[in-house]
Amino acid sequence: MIASLRHGLPLRWKALTREARDTLWLLAALALVLTPHLPRLPWWAGVGATVALVYRAYLAWRDAPLPSRWWLMGLLLASLILTWLTYRTLIGREPGITLVVILTTLKALELRARRDALVCLYLGFFLIFTQFIYSQGLGTAALMLVAVWSLLSSLILGQRPLGRPPLREVGTEALRAMLWGLPLMLVLFVLFPRIGPLWAMPTEARARTGLSETLQLGEVSELSQDDSIAMRLAFQGPRPLPSQMYMRGPTLDDFDGRTWTPARFRGLPPVAFKGPAWSYTATLEPSMLKVLPLIEGTAQAAPVAASPDLKLFRTGLDWVRLGGMNRRIQIQAVAYPIAQQGPVGHQADMSRWLRLPPGYNPRTLAWARQWRQQAPWTQASARSLSAGVLAHIRQQDYRYTLSPGGPSQTTTPHLIDDFWMDRRAGFCEHFATAFTVVMRAMGVPARVVTGYQGADLNPLDGQYIVRNSHAHAWAEVWSPEEGWIRVDPTAAVAPERVEQPLRVRPLAGLPGPLGELDPAALRRLRDAWDAVDHRWNVWVLQYARGQQMDLMRQLGWSQPDWTQLAQALAVALSALALGGSLVAWLGRERPRAQPWLRPMTHVHHALSALVPPPAGPAPAPASAWQAHLARHWRNAAPPGHEPALSATQGDLLRTLNELDALRYGPLAPTDHERSLRRQRLALVRRILAMARSLRADAAHSSP
């Protein structure tokens, strides 16, 4: 059965009418464009679009009649109603794209004439544009490039109504058209002035890097399952150890028993930086997070390219941005391994960082107060108390786990009691939160800090990749002598989490031979993709006004502005138009017989080795060689005898006649360039073989 299908499908494909074949190609191109949209569409829209395309392909395959227009009008009305019920509006990005997808598939169901095909093509090109509203990554760009090629092929098919042009020939012509447009695309990309968008789509409010301005137990452990990239780090010079790579995000000061939130205003605490500096470049993925997760101890930070809508300023050790939300940014920064922050002295008001919500976690608070009243700890310093609590964590059966289980915030308000006294198993936010609550109950000011810890080194480009799985939470305690001190309770129970980089989890559950792939090979492939994707992000997606002005300075402009950029663009476009016109003129002046020049040259040289060539320009036409050979062999016959041609000589004369007819004779309606090239090659090979045979016979018969 499988063999019959294998042989039957190609035969059925060749037996399709021209209209059915072109329709199936167009439907395949539309399916390629629509597939990335399916996860974003409402379920009914995704199912409806898939069924419509599959049903239309079935009709084309069977050459069956199309559905009635009344059915299509009913489906359109139902789609409008469902769109309204889903979004409560027909205007906006999500409902608009949903309607365009539905209209495209419904138009495919009434695909009858060339005009209908053009409408589907234009809708397909528009849907390609909408893909980049959601994603501008390298994978999306490559997929949409294939989609553009497939739609261009359909457009070329629509412009060739006669005959049956082969898909390979049409696809080659579409690829050639894309290559012709490549120089224009590059010039517009590099020199078209970035003068600010005339319109903008609304940004999503959810942070894409995973971190948020608040913290609830369980949020960071959920991020640990996400291997998507949050940021990249490139160091210029010395690099920190894995245990020193803390990317500090939001500082969380207030706790209501459920959620940690930052203080609205905590002043401008002084910071003193010490130690050898680390100079690095951070490339942060799009996020709505106001506090940038830069390396803890960062003293200086500035955008790599000047951006008027992005400002950075430091409050303590937190770097806050104004603007630049939800887009990729690149920052040049300098960090120090030692950073002393916060007020110093016993007179500082630290009451905010001692507050605990009443009525929450009574057992943990009672344990902390009882522990503080023991003899060794009554007069102990903040550093000594924190060391004692860390020793308690190490000595007891506390466990570091990504799946701690236990009750949720909806079932019990005493989550710290459940973790600290009962389960003793949790992720980093459990340890950081419980440690901070314990320290506050002991009278030591403390707070929680979230961010990332550790990174994966990509050996191909030397970049450190920070993923969402590196999300981390730790604590800070305040000492009158030292200010704020970083304490990571997770390091007490799982030191390997801090001291060693996290490795990317192997891909599990792959089917067949894929499940037997070497994890090291998969890691190398992933490193290669990350390196290429980073170059795409930096060279293409982050190419903005600052990079344009830097390019203008390199080209000789001392103080470029957008008017000079427009002048450079006009000059480049003029040069491109002039060069294109020259190439087109040269192509028009090229002899039409150019495809025949090389094969006829081979024929001319082969026959010239057999007999002296005929007079006239070389290579001589096949008809001239036929007459010349016939005359030569007739004159070579003895006087008074009829010239007797051998079988090979007769075949050679007939083949030359066929070659001349193929070149100058009328074409059949089914002939096309590929079949002509195949026939020409076969005739030339026969002529060359017969010429070699005649030369061998002449050499054998000569004395």
Side-chain angles (χ1 to χ4, degrees), residues 664-682:
Y664 298 108
L667 296 178
T670 58
D671 287 339
H672 49 77
E673 181 61 29
R674 188 175 61 178
S675 65
L676 293 177
R677 185 166 56 250
R678 186 166 52 247
Q679 296 177 48
R680 180 173 63 232
L681 180 61

Side-chain angles (χ1 to χ4, degrees), residues 339-367:
Q340 185 180 24
Q341 61 164 326
V344 177
H346 291 276
Q347 303 301 320
D349 182 12
M350 306 299 292
S351 58
R352 169 183 285 273
W353 294 279
L354 292 173
R355 298 173 186 169
L356 289 171
Y360 286 90
N361 309 301
R363 292 190 294 158
T364 301
L365 301 185
W367 178 91

Side-chain angles (χ1 to χ4, degrees), residues 510-549:
L510 294 178
L514 295 178
E516 301 177 1
L517 292 178
D518 183 13
L522 292 176
R523 189 156 46 245
R524 287 193 296 270
L525 290 175
R526 188 168 195 170
D527 290 341
W529 173 258
D530 288 338
V532 173
D533 187 59
H534 176 63
R535 294 294 178 264
W536 169 265
N537 294 336
V538 173
W539 294 345
V540 178
L541 299 186
Q542 290 182 231
Y543 186 79
R545 189 184 311 174
Q547 286 84 348
Q548 282 186 322
M549 296 306 163

Side-chain angles (χ1 to χ4, degrees), residues 83-154:
T83 303
W84 173 264
L85 294 176
T86 302
Y87 300 105
R88 295 299 175 181
T89 181
L90 298 179
I91 302 175
R93 180 178 66 180
E94 305 298 336
I97 293 177
T98 301
L99 287 177
V100 172
V101 170
I102 294 300
L103 290 175
T104 303
T105 53
L106 290 181
K107 190 64 180 177
L109 285 176
E110 65 170 1
L111 188 59
R112 289 181 172 88
R114 178 184 176 189
R115 178 185 59 188
D116 300 326
L118 291 178
V119 173
C120 289
L121 285 171
Y122 298 150
L123 290 173
F125 282 118
F126 180 77
L127 285 173
I128 289 177
F129 161 74
T130 61
Q131 300 287 352
F132 295 100
I133 297 177
Y134 297 96
S135 172
Q136 300 177 5
L138 181 59
T140 301
L143 182 62
M144 292 302 102
L145 197 63
V146 177
V148 168
W149 169 80
S150 60
L151 290 178
L152 279 178
S153 301
S154 293

Side-chain angles (χ1 to χ4, degrees), residues 203 213 284-292 303 307-313 319-331:
T203 58
E213 306 290 343
L284 291 91
E285 293 299 307
S287 167
M288 293 296 290
L289 195 65
K290 295 181 180 179
V291 180
L292 298 179
S307 179
D309 63 338
L310 175 61
K311 302 296 182 183
L312 305 179
F313 62 93
W319 280 92
V320 183
R321 65 174 166 183
L322 296 177
M325 297 295 183
N326 216 11
R327 65 180 177 87
R328 187 176 291 100
I329 58 177
Q330 197 169 27
I331 295 173

